[in-house]
Amino acid sequence: AADLSDADAAFMRDAQVPIAMSAFGDKVSKAAWRVKPSWYVVATQDGAIDPKLLRKTASRIGAETTEIKGSHVIFLSQPEAVANVIDKAAKTAASKTK
């Protein structure tokens, strides 16, 4: 959260809860990205997950990728840019079902 205010970053730190490790034991039988269009936002200044890995993942699933300058919590630091990607994805998906 390097691009948030100190107060917002502190809230993000304090509000985190432990991950449910049991989620990693579930098997995915059909990954939606294999049969449906995908969109992916790469936070170019992500300090938690290397942007190279984010790009590789996006490429692997064939996602339409948008790069946005910002940290791991890009949805908070650049909400309008992320909302624009979601809006474009929704409109594109809707036009394919008509």
Side-chain angles (χ1 to χ4, degrees):
D3 52 353
L4 297 182
S5 68
D6 288 345
D8 287 341
F11 172 79
M12 294 295 293
R13 180 198 64 228
D14 296 341
Q16 286 187 17
V17 296
I19 190 168
M21 295 303 288
S22 61
F24 294 109
D26 292 341
K27 299 288 182 188
V28 176
S29 59
K30 293 184 182 178
W33 59 263
R34 292 188 185 274
V35 295
K36 294 183 178 186
S38 299
W39 289 262
Y40 203 104
V41 173
V42 172
T44 62
Q45 297 174 326
D46 195 325
I49 303 172
D50 189 330
K52 292 178 202 167
L53 178 59
L54 298 173
R55 289 181 192 102
K56 184 176 179 180
T57 301
S59 177
R60 179 176 172 240
I61 68 173
E64 181 173 324
T65 304
T66 301
E67 295 203 8
I68 301 172
K69 183 178 179 182
S71 72
H72 186 66
V73 291
I74 195 78
F75 58 94
L76 290 177
S77 64
Q78 300 292 332
E80 187 173 341
V82 173
N84 288 338
V85 173
I86 294 168
D87 185 55
K88 182 179 178 184
K91 287 177 179 173
T92 302
S95 71
K96 292 183 179 190
T97 60
K98 290 182 180 181

